[in-house]
Amino acid sequence: MPITHVYYLASGLWLLGLAGVLLRREGWARTLALVVMLVGAATVLVGAARTWGLADIHGLAALLLALAGAYAVVLATLQPEPDQEGP
């Protein structure tokens, strides 16, 4: 796969995340959009590592994906529960 395809995919993910951050008002939707942006950045790192044959960048990309996952989990935990209306 050419590196330009990886760049197109990564920039599409990043722009989709940026649009989500700018257009959404809910905290959870913004969190997911930020995670999509981080995945786009990790996609660029993995594509570059594959093209240049560098194994150490894969570790950096894995660290970035772990950071994105931890970010989503922490913010999901801190999200307040919606008010429940009951009998």
Side-chain angles (χ1 to χ4, degrees):
M1 175 185 331
I3 189 69
T4 54
H5 292 156
V6 174
Y7 289 155
Y8 293 148
L9 175 66
S11 63
L13 284 171
W14 198 85
L15 289 173
L16 183 68
L18 180 65
V21 167
L22 294 176
L23 296 176
R24 298 290 181 187
R25 293 186 189 265
E26 303 88 28
W28 181 242
R30 281 191 175 180
T31 302
L32 288 178
L34 284 171
V35 169
V36 169
M37 289 175 72
L38 286 173
V39 168
T43 304
V44 168
L45 289 174
V46 169
R50 186 172 180 213
T51 300
W52 296 322
L54 300 173
D56 54 347
I57 297 179
H58 285 289
L60 181 63
L63 182 66
L64 187 61
L65 288 174
L67 175 72
Y71 182 71
V73 167
V74 166
L75 286 180
T77 305
L78 295 177
Q79 217 35 18
E81 292 186 25
D83 292 333
Q84 301 277 335
E85 291 186 23

